[in-house]
Amino acid sequence: FSNPMEKYSALVVDDNAIIRNVAQMLLNNHGFETKVVENGEEAVAIFTAGNSFDVVIMDMEMPVMDGVQATKELRAMGVKSLIYGVTASDSKSDIQAFIEAGLDEYFEKPLNLMIINNILKRLITM
């Protein structure tokens, strides 16, 4: 049984600094220990270095390595973290490819309290 005071960790992967800052603030306010990176390549590198997170908030459209590719690579590496995909895109085919890359869940930007509560509920029941 998990302790309600248990700290969860989150990795926010987004190329937009404002979005990273807002997401980090929201997550920190809900007790997450949060790290932020700018693209999928950095996210893969963090996991490759041996770090792990309870949840990854992964943007779909980023330079260097996008969220679809990064999610595929993380899953191929055996990463078990919850991966939440986020995008401002409304292209059904792009979103479908993102989900098929190995997302646990997908939502439209921006991150909000409802989504964070959803993430917490999923983590608590894991």
Side-chain angles (χ1 to χ4, degrees), residues 47 72-81:
F47 277 96
K72 281 183 183 161
E73 293 209 13
L74 291 174
R75 291 305 189 208
M77 290 162 56
V79 169
K80 298 276 186 270
S81 310

Side-chain angles (χ1 to χ4, degrees), residues 22-34:
V22 169
Q24 185 168 30
M25 188 183 72
L26 280 170
L27 288 161
N28 288 351
N29 287 346
H30 284 77
F32 282 85
E33 287 178 14
T34 314

Side-chain angles (χ1 to χ4, degrees), residues 13-50:
V13 188
D14 201 301
D15 56 321
N16 181 312
I18 293 165
I19 290 174
R20 282 196 309 272
N21 292 341
V22 169
Q24 185 168 30
M25 188 183 72
L26 280 170
L27 288 161
N28 288 351
N29 287 346
H30 284 77
F32 282 85
E33 287 178 14
T34 314
K35 189 160 179 56
V36 295
V37 294
E38 290 179 32
N39 61 58
E41 190 177 80
E42 292 180 18
V44 170
I46 277 191
F47 277 96
T48 304

Side-chain angles (χ1 to χ4, degrees), residues 69-121:
Q69 189 58 42
T71 300
K72 281 183 183 161
E73 293 209 13
L74 291 174
R75 291 305 189 208
M77 290 162 56
V79 169
K80 298 276 186 270
S81 310
L82 281 178
I83 300 179
Y84 276 66
V86 287
T87 182
S89 167
D90 52 11
S91 157
K92 296 276 181 271
S93 60
D94 288 355
I95 292 165
Q96 191 56 39
F98 198 11
I99 291 167
E100 287 170 4
L103 294 183
D104 288 287
E105 205 144 324
Y106 152 82
F107 61 88
E108 283 176 28
K109 285 183 174 178
L111 181 66
N112 60 43
L113 293 179
M114 209 172 75
I115 297 162
I116 290 177
N117 286 330
N118 174 332
I119 293 170
L120 281 166
K121 278 190 196 116

